[in-house]
Amino acid sequence: MITEPFTVDYGAKRTLRFEPYVIDSYVREDFLSVIYGHVERNVVMSTAVKMEDARLYRLIEKTAISICKAYSPTKNYGITKAEIRAAILALINHYKGEITNE
């Protein structure tokens, strides 16, 4: 997981903002498993870990948008899209470590 907020300019109109996903309640912990499940169902990890940075950030944004449309996490749980992006990035980085360590 990331510990400091940061932004990424990947060539789109707007920069992506990433904020640490802080687990300070059961709701946030449960929603993290929802995020991970959604990513595992909709992203081919073996392809994602090989992507160049710009394509990877587009994929992260597309996935974050689909999660927000499906679950409305900001409205229902107070979880921002920037936090969701960070959770997705952390999961992809976790898989990168597993694939490169094989």
mmCIF file of all heavy atoms in Angstrom, residues 22-63:
data_model
loop_
_atom_site.group_PDB
_atom_site.id
_atom_site.type_symbol
_atom_site.label_atom_id
_atom_site.label_comp_id
_atom_site.label_asym_id
_atom_site.label_seq_id
_atom_site.Cartn_x
_atom_site.Cartn_y
_atom_site.Cartn_z
ATOM 1 N N VAL A 22 -6.748 3.835 3.914
ATOM 2 C CA VAL A 22 -6.586 3.595 5.346
ATOM 3 C C VAL A 22 -7.719 2.707 5.834
ATOM 4 O O VAL A 22 -8.893 3.009 5.636
ATOM 5 C CB VAL A 22 -6.585 4.931 6.120
ATOM 6 C CG1 VAL A 22 -6.456 4.686 7.613
ATOM 7 C CG2 VAL A 22 -5.478 5.836 5.616
ATOM 8 N N ILE A 23 -7.362 1.605 6.470
ATOM 9 C CA ILE A 23 -8.367 0.702 7.022
ATOM 10 C C ILE A 23 -8.540 1.063 8.501
ATOM 11 O O ILE A 23 -7.747 0.672 9.348
ATOM 12 C CB ILE A 23 -7.947 -0.767 6.855
ATOM 13 C CG1 ILE A 23 -7.778 -1.090 5.376
ATOM 14 C CG2 ILE A 23 -8.973 -1.688 7.499
ATOM 15 C CD1 ILE A 23 -7.207 -2.457 5.103
ATOM 16 N N ASP A 24 -9.579 1.838 8.777
ATOM 17 C CA ASP A 24 -9.830 2.261 10.149
ATOM 18 C C ASP A 24 -11.216 1.838 10.640
ATOM 19 O O ASP A 24 -11.666 2.264 11.688
ATOM 20 C CB ASP A 24 -9.647 3.768 10.281
ATOM 21 C CG ASP A 24 -10.535 4.564 9.330
ATOM 22 O OD1 ASP A 24 -11.303 3.939 8.575
ATOM 23 O OD2 ASP A 24 -10.453 5.806 9.342
ATOM 24 N N SER A 25 -11.880 0.983 9.853
ATOM 25 C CA SER A 25 -13.190 0.475 10.260
ATOM 26 C C SER A 25 -13.451 -0.839 9.533
ATOM 27 O O SER A 25 -12.785 -1.170 8.557
ATOM 28 C CB SER A 25 -14.291 1.491 9.930
ATOM 29 O OG SER A 25 -14.444 1.614 8.531
ATOM 30 N N TYR A 26 -14.428 -1.553 10.028
ATOM 31 C CA TYR A 26 -14.801 -2.820 9.380
ATOM 32 C C TYR A 26 -15.356 -2.579 7.977
ATOM 33 O O TYR A 26 -15.156 -3.392 7.087
ATOM 34 C CB TYR A 26 -15.825 -3.577 10.221
ATOM 35 C CG TYR A 26 -15.252 -4.133 11.490
ATOM 36 C CD1 TYR A 26 -15.698 -3.700 12.729
ATOM 37 C CD2 TYR A 26 -14.250 -5.096 11.457
ATOM 38 C CE1 TYR A 26 -15.168 -4.214 13.904
ATOM 39 C CE2 TYR A 26 -13.711 -5.618 12.610
ATOM 40 C CZ TYR A 26 -14.168 -5.174 13.832
ATOM 41 O OH TYR A 26 -13.639 -5.675 14.974
ATOM 42 N N VAL A 27 -16.035 -1.455 7.799
ATOM 43 C CA VAL A 27 -16.609 -1.135 6.492
ATOM 44 C C VAL A 27 -15.501 -0.986 5.457
ATOM 45 O O VAL A 27 -15.572 -1.537 4.361
ATOM 46 C CB VAL A 27 -17.458 0.157 6.575
ATOM 47 C CG1 VAL A 27 -17.884 0.615 5.193
ATOM 48 C CG2 VAL A 27 -18.666 -0.053 7.470
ATOM 49 N N ARG A 28 -14.449 -0.252 5.806
ATOM 50 C CA ARG A 28 -13.334 -0.055 4.873
ATOM 51 C C ARG A 28 -12.599 -1.375 4.617
ATOM 52 O O ARG A 28 -12.166 -1.630 3.507
ATOM 53 C CB ARG A 28 -12.359 0.986 5.412
ATOM 54 C CG ARG A 28 -12.898 2.387 5.281
ATOM 55 C CD ARG A 28 -11.925 3.398 5.845
ATOM 56 N NE ARG A 28 -12.178 4.694 5.287
ATOM 57 C CZ ARG A 28 -11.657 5.147 4.154
ATOM 58 N NH1 ARG A 28 -10.840 4.409 3.468
ATOM 59 N NH2 ARG A 28 -11.960 6.346 3.707
ATOM 60 N N GLU A 29 -12.473 -2.192 5.637
ATOM 61 C CA GLU A 29 -11.816 -3.494 5.468
ATOM 62 C C GLU A 29 -12.650 -4.389 4.547
ATOM 63 O O GLU A 29 -12.119 -5.032 3.648
ATOM 64 C CB GLU A 29 -11.623 -4.158 6.824
ATOM 65 C CG GLU A 29 -10.819 -5.423 6.757
ATOM 66 C CD GLU A 29 -10.510 -5.983 8.140
ATOM 67 O OE1 GLU A 29 -10.851 -5.344 9.150
ATOM 68 O OE2 GLU A 29 -9.924 -7.070 8.186
ATOM 69 N N ASP A 30 -13.954 -4.408 4.759
ATOM 70 C CA ASP A 30 -14.834 -5.208 3.904
ATOM 71 C C ASP A 30 -14.844 -4.687 2.472
ATOM 72 O O ASP A 30 -14.848 -5.466 1.523
ATOM 73 C CB ASP A 30 -16.262 -5.230 4.456
ATOM 74 C CG ASP A 30 -16.395 -6.081 5.700
ATOM 75 O OD1 ASP A 30 -15.480 -6.887 5.973
ATOM 76 O OD2 ASP A 30 -17.416 -5.940 6.393
ATOM 77 N N PHE A 31 -14.849 -3.356 2.317
ATOM 78 C CA PHE A 31 -14.880 -2.813 0.960
ATOM 79 C C PHE A 31 -13.569 -3.078 0.219
ATOM 80 O O PHE A 31 -13.577 -3.220 -1.008
ATOM 81 C CB PHE A 31 -15.210 -1.315 0.945
ATOM 82 C CG PHE A 31 -15.632 -0.851 -0.418
ATOM 83 C CD1 PHE A 31 -16.885 -1.175 -0.907
ATOM 84 C CD2 PHE A 31 -14.767 -0.141 -1.229
ATOM 85 C CE1 PHE A 31 -17.271 -0.789 -2.174
ATOM 86 C CE2 PHE A 31 -15.144 0.245 -2.501
ATOM 87 C CZ PHE A 31 -16.408 -0.075 -2.976
ATOM 88 N N LEU A 32 -12.473 -3.181 0.936
ATOM 89 C CA LEU A 32 -11.205 -3.529 0.291
ATOM 90 C C LEU A 32 -11.310 -4.904 -0.358
ATOM 91 O O LEU A 32 -10.833 -5.104 -1.471
ATOM 92 C CB LEU A 32 -10.052 -3.495 1.299
ATOM 93 C CG LEU A 32 -8.657 -3.715 0.725
ATOM 94 C CD1 LEU A 32 -8.302 -2.645 -0.298
ATOM 95 C CD2 LEU A 32 -7.637 -3.739 1.839
ATOM 96 N N SER A 33 -11.977 -5.841 0.288
ATOM 97 C CA SER A 33 -12.158 -7.156 -0.324
ATOM 98 C C SER A 33 -13.084 -7.069 -1.534
ATOM 99 O O SER A 33 -12.923 -7.821 -2.497
ATOM 100 C CB SER A 33 -12.673 -8.174 0.690
ATOM 101 O OG SER A 33 -13.948 -7.830 1.142
ATOM 102 N N VAL A 34 -14.027 -6.140 -1.528
ATOM 103 C CA VAL A 34 -14.891 -5.914 -2.697
ATOM 104 C C VAL A 34 -14.047 -5.389 -3.860
ATOM 105 O O VAL A 34 -14.186 -5.841 -5.000
ATOM 106 C CB VAL A 34 -16.031 -4.924 -2.359
ATOM 107 C CG1 VAL A 34 -16.771 -4.479 -3.614
ATOM 108 C CG2 VAL A 34 -16.995 -5.539 -1.366
ATOM 109 N N ILE A 35 -13.158 -4.446 -3.570
ATOM 110 C CA ILE A 35 -12.265 -3.900 -4.599
ATOM 111 C C ILE A 35 -11.405 -5.015 -5.183
ATOM 112 O O ILE A 35 -11.315 -5.170 -6.402
ATOM 113 C CB ILE A 35 -11.368 -2.781 -4.028
ATOM 114 C CG1 ILE A 35 -12.200 -1.565 -3.637
ATOM 115 C CG2 ILE A 35 -10.283 -2.383 -5.039
ATOM 116 C CD1 ILE A 35 -11.433 -0.522 -2.843
ATOM 117 N N TYR A 36 -10.787 -5.784 -4.322
ATOM 118 C CA TYR A 36 -9.909 -6.865 -4.793
ATOM 119 C C TYR A 36 -10.685 -7.885 -5.628
ATOM 120 O O TYR A 36 -10.201 -8.346 -6.647
ATOM 121 C CB TYR A 36 -9.220 -7.552 -3.615
ATOM 122 C CG TYR A 36 -8.085 -6.757 -3.017
ATOM 123 C CD1 TYR A 36 -7.403 -7.233 -1.910
ATOM 124 C CD2 TYR A 36 -7.681 -5.537 -3.535
ATOM 125 C CE1 TYR A 36 -6.348 -6.523 -1.350
ATOM 126 C CE2 TYR A 36 -6.642 -4.818 -2.981
ATOM 127 C CZ TYR A 36 -5.972 -5.317 -1.886
ATOM 128 O OH TYR A 36 -4.938 -4.615 -1.338
ATOM 129 N N GLY A 37 -11.882 -8.234 -5.195
ATOM 130 C CA GLY A 37 -12.700 -9.177 -5.953
ATOM 131 C C GLY A 37 -13.068 -8.637 -7.326
ATOM 132 O O GLY A 37 -12.993 -9.351 -8.329
ATOM 133 N N HIS A 38 -13.425 -7.367 -7.373
ATOM 134 C CA HIS A 38 -13.781 -6.735 -8.655
ATOM 135 C C HIS A 38 -12.568 -6.724 -9.597
ATOM 136 O O HIS A 38 -12.704 -7.042 -10.782
ATOM 137 C CB HIS A 38 -14.268 -5.305 -8.406
ATOM 138 C CG HIS A 38 -14.784 -4.618 -9.625
ATOM 139 N ND1 HIS A 38 -16.102 -4.688 -9.997
ATOM 140 C CD2 HIS A 38 -14.165 -3.857 -10.559
ATOM 141 C CE1 HIS A 38 -16.277 -3.993 -11.110
ATOM 142 N NE2 HIS A 38 -15.106 -3.471 -11.471
ATOM 143 N N VAL A 39 -11.412 -6.390 -9.076
ATOM 144 C CA VAL A 39 -10.199 -6.354 -9.888
ATOM 145 C C VAL A 39 -9.856 -7.758 -10.380
ATOM 146 O O VAL A 39 -9.542 -7.947 -11.561
ATOM 147 C CB VAL A 39 -9.019 -5.744 -9.101
ATOM 148 C CG1 VAL A 39 -7.711 -5.908 -9.855
ATOM 149 C CG2 VAL A 39 -9.275 -4.267 -8.816
ATOM 150 N N GLU A 40 -9.924 -8.732 -9.521
ATOM 151 C CA GLU A 40 -9.575 -10.103 -9.919
ATOM 152 C C GLU A 40 -10.540 -10.656 -10.969
ATOM 153 O O GLU A 40 -10.139 -11.451 -11.812
ATOM 154 C CB GLU A 40 -9.517 -11.004 -8.694
ATOM 155 C CG GLU A 40 -8.301 -10.700 -7.838
ATOM 156 C CD GLU A 40 -8.281 -11.458 -6.515
ATOM 157 O OE1 GLU A 40 -9.322 -12.038 -6.132
ATOM 158 O OE2 GLU A 40 -7.230 -11.445 -5.873
ATOM 159 N N ARG A 41 -11.805 -10.218 -10.939
ATOM 160 C CA ARG A 41 -12.777 -10.671 -11.943
ATOM 161 C C ARG A 41 -12.634 -9.941 -13.272
ATOM 162 O O ARG A 41 -12.992 -10.481 -14.310
ATOM 163 C CB ARG A 41 -14.206 -10.468 -11.425
ATOM 164 C CG ARG A 41 -14.641 -11.470 -10.401
ATOM 165 C CD ARG A 41 -16.132 -11.326 -10.087
ATOM 166 N NE ARG A 41 -16.539 -9.977 -9.721
ATOM 167 C CZ ARG A 41 -16.467 -9.462 -8.497
ATOM 168 N NH1 ARG A 41 -15.986 -10.194 -7.504
ATOM 169 N NH2 ARG A 41 -16.878 -8.229 -8.255
ATOM 170 N N ASN A 42 -12.135 -8.694 -13.253
ATOM 171 C CA ASN A 42 -12.168 -7.857 -14.445
ATOM 172 C C ASN A 42 -10.815 -7.501 -15.047
ATOM 173 O O ASN A 42 -10.779 -6.884 -16.114
ATOM 174 C CB ASN A 42 -12.932 -6.562 -14.145
ATOM 175 C CG ASN A 42 -14.379 -6.838 -13.833
ATOM 176 O OD1 ASN A 42 -15.126 -7.248 -14.701
ATOM 177 N ND2 ASN A 42 -14.776 -6.664 -12.586
ATOM 178 N N VAL A 43 -9.725 -7.839 -14.380
ATOM 179 C CA VAL A 43 -8.397 -7.489 -14.881
ATOM 180 C C VAL A 43 -7.581 -8.768 -15.017
ATOM 181 O O VAL A 43 -7.516 -9.570 -14.086
ATOM 182 C CB VAL A 43 -7.685 -6.503 -13.917
ATOM 183 C CG1 VAL A 43 -6.261 -6.237 -14.371
ATOM 184 C CG2 VAL A 43 -8.462 -5.206 -13.813
ATOM 185 N N VAL A 44 -6.955 -8.934 -16.169
ATOM 186 C CA VAL A 44 -6.061 -10.067 -16.376
ATOM 187 C C VAL A 44 -4.699 -9.652 -15.817
ATOM 188 O O VAL A 44 -3.976 -8.862 -16.423
ATOM 189 C CB VAL A 44 -5.963 -10.439 -17.877
ATOM 190 C CG1 VAL A 44 -5.006 -11.593 -18.072
ATOM 191 C CG2 VAL A 44 -7.329 -10.760 -18.436
ATOM 192 N N MET A 45 -4.388 -10.164 -14.643
ATOM 193 C CA MET A 45 -3.194 -9.712 -13.932
ATOM 194 C C MET A 45 -1.899 -10.006 -14.690
ATOM 195 O O MET A 45 -0.981 -9.204 -14.670
ATOM 196 C CB MET A 45 -3.123 -10.341 -12.536
ATOM 197 C CG MET A 45 -4.061 -9.715 -11.581
ATOM 198 S SD MET A 45 -3.633 -7.999 -11.295
ATOM 199 C CE MET A 45 -4.937 -7.541 -10.231
ATOM 200 N N SER A 46 -1.835 -11.144 -15.349
ATOM 201 C CA SER A 46 -0.602 -11.474 -16.067
ATOM 202 C C SER A 46 -0.326 -10.458 -17.177
ATOM 203 O O SER A 46 0.829 -10.194 -17.501
ATOM 204 C CB SER A 46 -0.679 -12.885 -16.642
ATOM 205 O OG SER A 46 -1.769 -12.991 -17.537
ATOM 206 N N THR A 47 -1.356 -9.863 -17.723
ATOM 207 C CA THR A 47 -1.190 -8.815 -18.733
ATOM 208 C C THR A 47 -0.918 -7.470 -18.069
ATOM 209 O O THR A 47 -0.057 -6.711 -18.521
ATOM 210 C CB THR A 47 -2.450 -8.713 -19.607
ATOM 211 O OG1 THR A 47 -2.703 -9.993 -20.192
ATOM 212 C CG2 THR A 47 -2.291 -7.675 -20.696
ATOM 213 N N ALA A 48 -1.628 -7.173 -17.002
ATOM 214 C CA ALA A 48 -1.494 -5.878 -16.329
ATOM 215 C C ALA A 48 -0.082 -5.648 -15.796
ATOM 216 O O ALA A 48 0.441 -4.538 -15.890
ATOM 217 C CB ALA A 48 -2.499 -5.765 -15.195
ATOM 218 N N VAL A 49 0.544 -6.679 -15.273
ATOM 219 C CA VAL A 49 1.876 -6.485 -14.690
ATOM 220 C C VAL A 49 2.938 -6.225 -15.743
ATOM 221 O O VAL A 49 4.008 -5.707 -15.430
ATOM 222 C CB VAL A 49 2.292 -7.687 -13.806
ATOM 223 C CG1 VAL A 49 1.351 -7.836 -12.637
ATOM 224 C CG2 VAL A 49 2.382 -8.960 -14.604
ATOM 225 N N LYS A 50 2.636 -6.532 -17.002
ATOM 226 C CA LYS A 50 3.595 -6.319 -18.090
ATOM 227 C C LYS A 50 3.377 -4.999 -18.828
ATOM 228 O O LYS A 50 4.156 -4.657 -19.707
ATOM 229 C CB LYS A 50 3.505 -7.472 -19.092
ATOM 230 C CG LYS A 50 3.868 -8.811 -18.506
ATOM 231 C CD LYS A 50 3.624 -9.918 -19.496
ATOM 232 C CE LYS A 50 3.818 -11.279 -18.844
ATOM 233 N NZ LYS A 50 3.411 -12.362 -19.730
ATOM 234 N N MET A 51 2.331 -4.277 -18.478
ATOM 235 C CA MET A 51 1.991 -3.046 -19.199
ATOM 236 C C MET A 51 2.977 -1.926 -18.914
ATOM 237 O O MET A 51 3.525 -1.833 -17.812
ATOM 238 C CB MET A 51 0.595 -2.558 -18.792
ATOM 239 C CG MET A 51 -0.524 -3.364 -19.321
ATOM 240 S SD MET A 51 -2.086 -2.632 -18.793
ATOM 241 C CE MET A 51 -3.214 -3.631 -19.714
ATOM 242 N N GLU A 52 3.162 -1.061 -19.914
ATOM 243 C CA GLU A 52 3.933 0.154 -19.687
ATOM 244 C C GLU A 52 3.101 1.074 -18.794
ATOM 245 O O GLU A 52 1.884 0.891 -18.665
ATOM 246 C CB GLU A 52 4.269 0.827 -21.007
ATOM 247 C CG GLU A 52 3.047 1.248 -21.779
ATOM 248 C CD GLU A 52 3.360 1.789 -23.147
ATOM 249 O OE1 GLU A 52 4.298 1.305 -23.793
ATOM 250 O OE2 GLU A 52 2.645 2.716 -23.559
ATOM 251 N N ASP A 53 3.745 2.047 -18.183
ATOM 252 C CA ASP A 53 3.094 2.866 -17.167
ATOM 253 C C ASP A 53 1.814 3.557 -17.644
ATOM 254 O O ASP A 53 0.795 3.517 -16.966
ATOM 255 C CB ASP A 53 4.063 3.912 -16.624
ATOM 256 C CG ASP A 53 5.108 3.298 -15.705
ATOM 257 O OD1 ASP A 53 4.936 2.135 -15.283
ATOM 258 O OD2 ASP A 53 6.099 3.994 -15.406
ATOM 259 N N ALA A 54 1.847 4.195 -18.809
ATOM 260 C CA ALA A 54 0.671 4.934 -19.284
ATOM 261 C C ALA A 54 -0.533 4.003 -19.454
ATOM 262 O O ALA A 54 -1.649 4.335 -19.042
ATOM 263 C CB ALA A 54 0.983 5.636 -20.594
ATOM 264 N N ARG A 55 -0.331 2.844 -20.044
ATOM 265 C CA ARG A 55 -1.431 1.887 -20.228
ATOM 266 C C ARG A 55 -1.919 1.357 -18.889
ATOM 267 O O ARG A 55 -3.119 1.150 -18.691
ATOM 268 C CB ARG A 55 -0.987 0.731 -21.116
ATOM 269 C CG ARG A 55 -0.793 1.169 -22.559
ATOM 270 C CD ARG A 55 -0.541 0.019 -23.468
ATOM 271 N NE ARG A 55 -1.755 -0.798 -23.531
ATOM 272 C CZ ARG A 55 -1.776 -2.074 -23.892
ATOM 273 N NH1 ARG A 55 -0.669 -2.683 -24.239
ATOM 274 N NH2 ARG A 55 -2.898 -2.743 -23.922
ATOM 275 N N LEU A 56 -0.994 1.120 -17.960
ATOM 276 C CA LEU A 56 -1.374 0.619 -16.637
ATOM 277 C C LEU A 56 -2.241 1.640 -15.906
ATOM 278 O O LEU A 56 -3.266 1.288 -15.315
ATOM 279 C CB LEU A 56 -0.132 0.283 -15.813
ATOM 280 C CG LEU A 56 -0.402 -0.203 -14.399
ATOM 281 C CD1 LEU A 56 -1.173 -1.521 -14.418
ATOM 282 C CD2 LEU A 56 0.899 -0.360 -13.638
ATOM 283 N N TYR A 57 -1.859 2.918 -15.962
ATOM 284 C CA TYR A 57 -2.649 3.938 -15.279
ATOM 285 C C TYR A 57 -4.017 4.119 -15.932
ATOM 286 O O TYR A 57 -4.995 4.390 -15.249
ATOM 287 C CB TYR A 57 -1.888 5.262 -15.191
ATOM 288 C CG TYR A 57 -0.750 5.177 -14.208
ATOM 289 C CD1 TYR A 57 0.560 5.433 -14.599
ATOM 290 C CD2 TYR A 57 -0.966 4.813 -12.885
ATOM 291 C CE1 TYR A 57 1.612 5.342 -13.700
ATOM 292 C CE2 TYR A 57 0.065 4.715 -11.978
ATOM 293 C CZ TYR A 57 1.352 4.977 -12.391
ATOM 294 O OH TYR A 57 2.378 4.879 -11.493
ATOM 295 N N ARG A 58 -4.116 3.955 -17.240
ATOM 296 C CA ARG A 58 -5.426 3.982 -17.902
ATOM 297 C C ARG A 58 -6.286 2.826 -17.399
ATOM 298 O O ARG A 58 -7.481 2.989 -17.144
ATOM 299 C CB ARG A 58 -5.264 3.892 -19.418
ATOM 300 C CG ARG A 58 -5.113 5.241 -20.056
ATOM 301 C CD ARG A 58 -5.173 5.152 -21.578
ATOM 302 N NE ARG A 58 -3.935 5.746 -22.051
ATOM 303 C CZ ARG A 58 -2.980 5.108 -22.724
ATOM 304 N NH1 ARG A 58 -3.134 3.873 -23.089
ATOM 305 N NH2 ARG A 58 -1.881 5.722 -23.067
ATOM 306 N N LEU A 59 -5.681 1.657 -17.270
ATOM 307 C CA LEU A 59 -6.402 0.488 -16.769
ATOM 308 C C LEU A 59 -6.868 0.713 -15.329
ATOM 309 O O LEU A 59 -8.002 0.388 -14.975
ATOM 310 C CB LEU A 59 -5.514 -0.758 -16.840
ATOM 311 C CG LEU A 59 -6.094 -2.037 -16.226
ATOM 312 C CD1 LEU A 59 -7.290 -2.514 -17.037
ATOM 313 C CD2 LEU A 59 -5.030 -3.108 -16.156
ATOM 314 N N ILE A 60 -5.998 1.275 -14.509
ATOM 315 C CA ILE A 60 -6.367 1.558 -13.114
ATOM 316 C C ILE A 60 -7.545 2.521 -13.062
ATOM 317 O O ILE A 60 -8.507 2.311 -12.320
ATOM 318 C CB ILE A 60 -5.158 2.103 -12.332
ATOM 319 C CG1 ILE A 60 -4.124 0.993 -12.115
ATOM 320 C CG2 ILE A 60 -5.589 2.714 -11.003
ATOM 321 C CD1 ILE A 60 -2.802 1.470 -11.553
ATOM 322 N N GLU A 61 -7.509 3.579 -13.867
ATOM 323 C CA GLU A 61 -8.604 4.558 -13.877
ATOM 324 C C GLU A 61 -9.899 3.922 -14.375
ATOM 325 O O GLU A 61 -10.965 4.125 -13.789
ATOM 326 C CB GLU A 61 -8.229 5.764 -14.731
ATOM 327 C CG GLU A 61 -9.304 6.826 -14.792
ATOM 328 C CD GLU A 61 -9.645 7.484 -13.462
ATOM 329 O OE1 GLU A 61 -9.057 7.136 -12.410
ATOM 330 O OE2 GLU A 61 -10.542 8.340 -13.464
ATOM 331 N N LYS A 62 -9.813 3.131 -15.424
ATOM 332 C CA LYS A 62 -11.010 2.457 -15.961
ATOM 333 C C LYS A 62 -11.616 1.526 -14.910
ATOM 334 O O LYS A 62 -12.837 1.494 -14.724
ATOM 335 C CB LYS A 62 -10.631 1.664 -17.206
ATOM 336 C CG LYS A 62 -11.760 0.922 -17.843
ATOM 337 C CD LYS A 62 -11.292 0.131 -19.045
ATOM 338 C CE LYS A 62 -12.409 -0.750 -19.559
ATOM 339 N NZ LYS A 62 -11.976 -1.634 -20.631
ATOM 340 N N THR A 63 -10.772 0.797 -14.205
ATOM 341 C CA THR A 63 -11.247 -0.117 -13.170
ATOM 342 C C THR A 63 -11.847 0.648 -11.998
ATOM 343 O O THR A 63 -12.901 0.266 -11.464
ATOM 344 C CB THR A 63 -10.101 -1.028 -12.702
ATOM 345 O OG1 THR A 63 -9.520 -1.665 -13.841
ATOM 346 C CG2 THR A 63 -10.593 -2.079 -11.733
#
